[in-house]
Amino acid sequence: MFDSIEQVEADILASAGSEGPGLAQRVRGLWGEVTSENETLLEEALKANAQIKLLKTELTRLKRQIAKLNKMKFGPSADQNPGEGSAPKLAGGKVDTATNCEYAATADTSTDAEKEQPAKRKSKPRNTSGRGKRVWPDFLEKRDMFMGTDDRKCPCGCGGSIFDSEINETLEVIPARYYVAVREYPKYRCRREDKIVGTRFEPRIFPNTSISNRLMANAITMRFSWQLPWYRQEGIFNSQGIDLCRSTLMRWSNRLATEALLPIYEMMEKELKMNSARLFMDETTLPMLQPGKGKTRTTYMYALLRDDRAFGGNKPPIVIYYPRETRAMHHIHDILSGVKAIVQSDAYGGYGRLGMPGTPVENITPVKCWAHARRKFTDEFEFNKTYDAETIINLIGELYDEEEKIRGKPPLIRQAHRGQFSIPILDRLRSLLAEQWQRHLQKSDMGRAIRYVLRHWEKLTRFVDDGRIDLDTNAVERMFKPTILLRKNVLFVGSDEGAQAWGILSSMVETCKLNGVNAERYLKWVFDQITLKTPRSKYEKLLPWNAPVEFMIKR
C-alpha cells in the first residue's frame, strides 16, 4: 500500500534535519499540483465520455435514418414479415422442426404401387425464359404471311409442290406515325335556291389551330398515363421533323383541363363526396417553381379515392386529386367538407380532428392504417433485430392473412369473419403491447412504435365492427405511383394553373384506369362530344364509367 502524503512529510522531517521543513513544504505543493491536475483530467474524461455517448447515440440515429432512406429508395415497397415463406416458428422464434416432420410424414401418403408408377408430366405455364407456346389474346390481329415463292413451287425450278409448312409467330409493332389530314370542304352552287352552299367543318376543341382532338388526347395520355414530360414529347415530334414546342402542348393541355374538362371533374368530385360510404385519403409532395427566385417550394397533392371492390361494392371507383399550397389542416377540412362517410388515412396530425363535433368534418368516421403501424415495427426489426418487434409483426401478419380470405366478400360476411378470427388476434396483440410497454424506453424507437398503436387503437380496430373498412390505406397510396413517377421526370410544376391542370387530368386518366377504360380513346371521345355542343345537363354520360363499351380495355 502506498504511503499517504502525511506519512511522507513525517519521514522527510525525521531524516532531513534542518532542511526537512522546506522539503516537506515543497512536496506538499507538488502534491497539490498533481491532485489538481488529476481532478482536471478526470473532469475532462467524464465530459469526453458523455460526448462519446451523445455521438454514439447520434451515429445510431443517423445509421437508422440512412437504412430507412436506403430502404425507401432501393428496398421493396411492400413490408414483409420476418422469415416469410420459411418454416413455422415457435414463440421464441425458433424453427418448429416437429411441425415440419409431422407435415412431411402426413404429406407423403401415396402407396408403394403409386410410387413405382412413373409420374405423369404436368404441363407447366409459360415462364419468363420463353419456354412453351405463347397464347395470344383473341382480339389481337393476326396477319398471315406466306414466306415461300410466288408460284408456290420449289425455288430450284424443278416444279416440285409444297410438301409441308412450319408456322412461326412473332409479335410485331407498327411505330406511331403522324400525318396531316387535308380535308377538302366543297362549296356547291345550288340551282334551286340560287346560292352557294358550303360544307360544315368538322368541329375541333381548338377550332383556330392545326391541332386535332386526337392529338391532344394522345399528348395528355402520354404525360399523365405514361409519365412522359412535355419536353420529351417535343423531342419525339422533332425526331419526326415536326416543330411543335413544349410550351404549346402545355398551354393547350392546361386550357383543356381548366375549361373543357372542369365540369366533368366537378361532377366526378360531387359523385365521390355525396354518394360514397368509405373513402381513402392521402397526400404527397409536389415541387412548384418560384418565379424569379430560381428555386422551388414544396406544395402538396391530395388524393381522395373511392374503391369499393374490396367489399364487393357496385359503385364505380373514382379518384380525385387536389393540389394545395400546404399540408395544413384547413386544406384537409376544405376537401372533406360536407362528406358523410368513413375516411381511412394515416395518423398525420392534419387528420386529427376528423369526426370531431363542431368542425366541417364532424360527419366523418375516421379510421387509421395498419400498414403504417406495422412499418414502425418492421423498421425496428430490420435495424435492431428486436425480438419483440418480430413478435408484433407476425401478429399483424395474422390479421392480414385473415383479410386475404374475405377480400371481395360482402360487408356482413367480412364482419362475421373478423368477429370470429380477427378479434382474438387483436386481444393477443393488445395484451402483448401492454406487456412490452413496461420493458422498453418510451423514447426509444420500439417505445414510440408501441405508443403509436396504443394511442390509435380505437381507430385501428374499427374494421372489426364494419365490413366496409380495410386494414390499410394501400389503395390510395397506389394512386400516387403515377404522380411520383411524373414528378421525378418533370422535376417541378411551373405554376398554380399547371398544378390545377395536373390534378384534373390525373383524376380523369386514373379514374379511367380504375374502371378499365382506354384513357386516350375516352378523352378523344369527350373532346368530340364537347365540340358538338353537348349540353351540360347531359354531361353525366361523359363520366369515365359511362363511356361506350368499345372503349373498355380487353383482357
Side-chain angles (χ1 to χ4, degrees):
M1 180 178 293
F2 294 102
D3 295 332
S4 64
I5 185 63
E6 290 79 7
Q7 184 66 39
V8 173
E9 287 180 347
D11 292 342
I12 292 173
L13 290 173
S15 61
S18 61
E19 296 180 357
L23 290 174
Q25 186 178 1
R26 186 178 177 185
V27 169
R28 169 66 69 175
L30 291 174
W31 178 257
E33 292 179 4
V34 171
T35 304
S36 177
E37 185 177 355
N38 184 53
E39 291 177 352
T40 303
L41 291 175
L42 182 60
E43 184 179 352
E44 291 179 356
L46 292 174
K47 290 182 179 179
N49 287 335
Q51 186 68 19
I52 289 173
K53 288 183 179 180
L54 290 175
L55 291 175
K56 285 184 176 179
T57 303
E58 180 67 11
L59 180 62
T60 302
R61 187 188 68 81
L62 292 176
K63 282 184 176 180
R64 183 183 181 87
Q65 186 174 359
I66 291 172
K68 187 174 182 180
L69 291 174
N70 283 334
K71 178 186 175 183
M72 292 172 60
K73 187 172 182 62
F74 304 110
S77 58
D79 295 322
Q80 294 183 351
N81 293 347
E84 190 172 29
S86 59
K89 292 187 176 182
L90 296 170
K94 299 180 180 179
V95 177
D96 189 356
T97 54
T99 304
N100 286 348
C101 295
E102 182 181 356
Y103 174 78
T106 55
D108 189 10
T109 58
S110 57
T111 62
D112 295 338
E114 291 175 346
K115 291 180 180 179
E116 293 176 359
Q117 295 179 358
K120 294 182 179 180
R121 184 175 181 181
K122 296 182 180 179
S123 58
K124 296 182 179 180
R126 179 183 176 86
N127 56 27
T128 55
S129 63
R131 296 191 182 95
K133 184 178 179 181
R134 184 181 290 275
V135 179
W136 305 108
D138 294 335
F139 60 84
L140 198 62
E141 177 188 1
K142 289 189 177 182
R143 299 184 181 183
D144 295 327
M145 299 179 182
F146 181 72
M147 307 305 294
T149 56
D150 294 337
D151 58 358
R152 296 179 179 266
K153 300 294 183 180
C154 180
C156 74
C158 66
S161 60
I162 297 175
F163 168 71
D164 196 5
S165 297
E166 293 181 351
I167 303 299
N168 177 258
E169 296 180 349
T170 59
L171 185 64
E172 303 290 341
V173 60
I174 301 176
R177 189 162 52 101
Y178 299 98
Y179 66 94
V180 178
V182 182
R183 297 179 178 87
E184 180 181 358
Y185 295 94
K187 297 180 180 179
Y188 303 96
R189 182 183 293 108
C190 182
R191 296 179 179 179
R192 178 179 300 175
E193 299 184 7
D194 192 23
K195 65 178 182 179
I196 303 299
V197 179
T199 304
R200 184 182 296 275
F201 273 51
E202 182 183 73
R204 294 202 307 272
I205 199 77
F206 293 123
N208 297 323
T209 68
S210 58
I211 301 302
S212 66
N213 296 350
R214 187 183 300 278
L215 183 69
M216 287 310 303
N218 175 263
I220 291 171
T221 305
M222 293 297 287
R223 178 177 171 87
F224 294 99
S225 184
W226 309 118
Q227 293 77 52
L228 203 62
W230 296 128
Y231 76 90
R232 293 186 187 174
Q233 296 194 44
E234 180 187 28
I236 293 175
F237 282 113
N238 290 338
S239 68
Q240 300 287 332
I242 303 171
D243 185 15
L244 190 56
C245 186
R246 70 187 78 173
S247 61
T248 303
L249 290 171
M250 178 193 66
R251 186 172 62 255
W252 285 339
S253 68
N254 288 356
R255 281 190 58 192
L256 283 173
T258 57
E259 296 177 16
L261 297 178
L262 183 59
I264 301 176
Y265 172 85
E266 291 174 345
M267 292 184 68
M268 291 168 55
E269 181 185 17
K270 182 179 179 181
E271 164 66 21
L272 178 69
K273 290 184 176 182
M274 297 296 104
N275 297 320
S276 299
R278 192 272 312 270
L279 297 171
F280 298 96
M281 191 172 185
D282 202 0
E283 75 287 331
T284 190
T285 57
L286 193 64
M288 182 177 290
L289 185 66
Q290 291 182 287
K293 295 186 177 181
K295 59 182 181 180
T296 61
R297 57 187 172 89
T298 300
T299 63
Y300 289 85
M301 182 71 77
Y302 291 83
L304 193 62
L305 169 70
R306 179 180 75 191
D307 191 349
D308 297 344
R309 292 174 291 184
F311 59 84
N314 56 5
K315 292 182 179 179
I318 312 172
V319 60
I320 297 292
Y321 295 92
Y322 299 89
R324 292 293 186 267
E325 291 289 327
T326 66
R327 205 184 180 195
M329 181 183 291
H330 67 86
H331 290 308
I332 298 174
H333 288 192
D334 176 62
I335 293 171
L336 295 176
S337 178
V339 173
K340 298 180 181 179
I342 300 166
V343 175
Q344 294 194 234
S345 65
D346 55 30
Y348 166 60
Y351 302 103
R353 302 188 68 185
L354 297 184
M356 188 174 295
T359 64
V361 290
E362 61 181 355
N363 295 317
I364 287 176
T365 303
V367 178
K368 298 307 176 185
C369 172
W370 274 103
H372 285 80
R374 180 175 62 176
R375 193 167 300 139
K376 297 181 181 299
F377 292 100
T378 55
D379 292 343
E380 172 67 19
F381 178 78
E382 288 180 7
F383 188 74
N384 294 326
K385 302 301 179 184
T386 307
Y387 169 70
D388 286 346
E390 180 184 11
T391 308
I392 298 299
I393 294 169
N394 289 331
L395 276 177
I396 298 176
E398 292 182 23
L399 287 177
Y400 276 91
D401 291 340
E402 295 301 329
E403 287 301 303
E404 285 297 324
K405 301 174 183 177
I406 54 176
R407 190 174 301 278
K409 301 292 181 64
L412 292 179
I413 295 179
R414 286 158 62 93
Q415 181 179 349
H417 183 91
R418 289 166 174 172
Q420 182 178 358
F421 298 101
S422 298
I423 288 181
I425 299 173
L426 289 172
D427 292 339
R428 289 159 50 203
L429 180 60
R430 181 69 179 271
S431 61
L432 187 60
L433 289 171
E435 177 187 343
Q436 294 180 1
W437 177 250
Q438 304 299 325
R439 61 173 178 261
H440 288 281
L441 295 176
Q442 296 185 11
K443 292 187 178 181
S444 66
D445 293 317
M446 185 65 185
R448 292 191 184 99
I450 296 172
R451 186 170 66 250
Y452 178 93
V453 177
L454 293 178
R455 186 171 67 247
H456 300 290
W457 184 261
E458 180 184 357
K459 296 176 183 178
L460 283 170
T461 57
R462 280 181 176 157
F463 73 97
V464 298
D465 299 321
D466 195 327
R468 298 170 297 180
I469 299 175
D470 282 356
L471 276 184
D472 51 43
T473 59
N474 289 347
V476 69
E477 290 187 11
R478 286 192 293 268
M479 293 294 99
F480 281 121
K481 286 186 177 180
T483 299
I484 293 171
L485 289 173
L486 183 58
R487 178 184 68 192
K488 180 180 178 181
N489 291 338
V490 304
L491 302 182
F492 56 82
V493 184
S495 63
D496 292 333
E497 182 188 17
Q500 183 186 10
W502 187 322
I504 294 172
L505 295 174
S506 292
S507 301
M508 305 287 288
V509 170
E510 293 304 315
T511 301
C512 283
K513 290 182 182 180
L514 289 172
N515 289 275
V517 176
N518 185 305
E520 182 175 347
R521 297 182 64 187
Y522 164 77
L523 288 173
K524 198 269 182 185
W525 172 69
V526 169
F527 295 157
D528 291 342
Q529 296 299 314
I530 293 175
T531 54
L532 292 174
K533 308 298 182 183
T534 301
R536 293 285 179 90
S537 59
K538 296 184 179 180
Y539 266 26
E540 185 177 359
K541 75 172 187 178
L542 302 183
L543 296 173
W545 52 89
N546 292 332
V549 179
E550 57 267 24
F551 295 164
M552 301 298 292
I553 298 175
K554 298 178 181 179
R555 302 292 183 183

